[in-house]
Amino acid sequence: MHDVVVVGAGPAGSRYARRAAQRGLDVLVFEQGTVGEPLACSGHVSTDIWEYTEDARDELFQNEITGARFHTGGPGSADHPFYRDEVISNVIDRVGLDRHLADLAREAGADVREEHTVVGVSEERDGASVEVRGPDGVETHRAKLVAGCDGPKSRVRRELGMPEPGELLHGVLGFTDEVDDGDFVDVHLTVPRFFAWRIPRGEAGVEYGLAVPPGDDARGRFEAFCEGYGVEPDHRCSGLIPVGPPRRVSGRRSFLIGDAAAQTKPFTGGGILYGMTAADHAAREIDPDDPGTLGDYERAWRADLRSEIRLGHAVRAGYSMPEPVQKLGMRALEGKIGVHMDRPTTLFSREQLRALLSRS
Ligand SMILES: Cc1cc2nc3c(=O)[nH]c(=O)nc-3n(C[C@H](O)[C@H](O)[C@H](O)COP(=O)(O)OP(=O)(O)OC[C@H]3O[C@@H](n4cnc5c(N)ncnc54)[C@H](O)[C@@H]3O)c2cc1C
């Protein structure tokens, strides 16, 4: 019997697998396709990302970002700049990131198997059973615990009857081959309850994208947005963004990490770093021989991210305010900021206060 079977080799699954294997656990990972594919992510992350990689910056780095221009209108409309003197975030090769993290998990001793789709999960008194369809047919594997790191539509979550995330937004993005190494992203508050974006990716082109609540016409809005910019992006892709973690992300012999647990920033949809942060809590807290430690994981990741997620919801509520109110608010706040991209609580930090005072 394995210590842990991990379902999904995205950032959350690979990070957890690496950390758990480093602790000496026997970890088996199943990935339904090829690691990193298909792409459905901007790969726009704070510079904290490099704390989770090993010598991979040269290979993964595409562009650096120092600020965002917020628009209440579409392309060409007036903007409200928010920026720092130093780099806030990086745009990276997301497919390459997933491959790198899976390699690190393998190097640490985890057995990562691609082209293996988990089709069934059940919990028993002394462990969990995982049914997997691979190149040689369907196999069953047993483990003391199963980790659902299988993304927004998590099969593990569904099979084990765990509660669903608050919301699943629908994101669409596409790329042009314009070379742009500008250091500002553009954010347009022109779609319901979220935003549309333009991200310069250096030599890798420019990305255009947006996300909308379920039931809205994501593709129609995307076409109109790109038309406004006068571009026709190709390599289009789409994906779901879970927002609002369920009240419980663990079971008797199971736990969820990453998008499966909706560990994302409600005001950007970003989940790469929150998922890996939670993965580290899981590896630190959970002992497969003591399922009682699953509760320690629940407490640890919520203590770390709860306030950030709560404040992230409040920031996102601003996207739905009437345009005159948005304009007033942004005029009052625009300029130099001292906020950390993943930590909205830094809105109340000394650094942010210093940035505000330095404007006068
Ligand atoms: C349009 C869009 C743009 C985004 N932009 C950003 C961004 O700029 N920055 C950021 O931080 N986040 C961004 N995100 C969110 C980010 O992509 C996710 O938060 C992140 O991928 C979550 O990682 P994860 O490991 O939890 O899940 P995933 O990356 O979804 O990985 C889950 C893995 O599980 C596998 N899997 C699923 N089911 C099974 C199964 N039954 N058996 C075996 N394997 C299975 C999948 O193939 C996948 O590889 C974006 C999302 C979207 C949709």
Side-chain angles (χ1 to χ4, degrees), residues 15-16 19 52 257 275-285:
R15 177 68 184 184
Y16 170 75
R19 280 295 190 222
Y52 295 84
I257 315 177
M276 290 201 288
T277 302
D280 284 359
H281 285 299
R284 207 175 297 123
E285 301 294 337

Side-chain angles (χ1 to χ4, degrees), residues 4 92 104 132 152 173 178 201-202 205 223 241 265 327 336:
V4 187
I92 62 164
L104 293 178
V132 189
L173 48 82
E178 306 156 84
R201 310 188 71 95
E223 296 307 331
I241 302 176
K265 291 183 279 182
K327 279 190 168 148
K336 195 164 151 184

Side-chain angles (χ1 to χ4, degrees), residues 6-14 30-38 40-46 94 98 116-119 132 149-156 169-173 197 199 201 207 210-211 237-242 257-261 263-265 268-275 341-342:
V6 177
V7 186
S14 289
F30 293 116
E31 167 54 47
Q32 65 186 357
T34 304
V35 168
E37 295 174 19
C41 176
S42 307
H44 178 213
V45 282
S46 73
R94 167 65 204 268
D98 283 26
H116 281 76
T117 304
V118 169
V119 292
V132 189
C149 306
D150 47 348
K153 286 201 288 187
S154 175
R155 176 141 209 162
V156 175
L169 304 179
H170 182 189
V172 181
L173 48 82
W197 63 84
I199 302 178
R201 310 188 71 95
E207 176 191 318
L210 53 76
C237 46
S238 73
L240 295 173
I241 302 176
I257 315 177
D259 273 18
Q263 289 157 338
T264 61
K265 291 183 279 182
T268 68
I272 296 174
L273 278 156
Y274 280 13
M341 173 179 171
D342 299 327

Side-chain angles (χ1 to χ4, degrees), residues 123-167:
E123 292 171 306
E124 295 105 32
R125 198 185 50 77
D126 60 342
S129 294
V130 177
E131 220 180 307
V132 189
R133 196 177 52 236
D136 302 324
V138 176
E139 311 155 357
T140 300
H141 295 264
R142 295 212 71 231
K144 293 171 190 167
L145 297 176
V146 59
C149 306
D150 47 348
K153 286 201 288 187
S154 175
R155 176 141 209 162
V156 175
R157 187 177 70 219
R158 212 173 50 234
E159 292 266 318
L160 298 180
M162 289 196 222
E164 295 287 312
E167 207 178 348

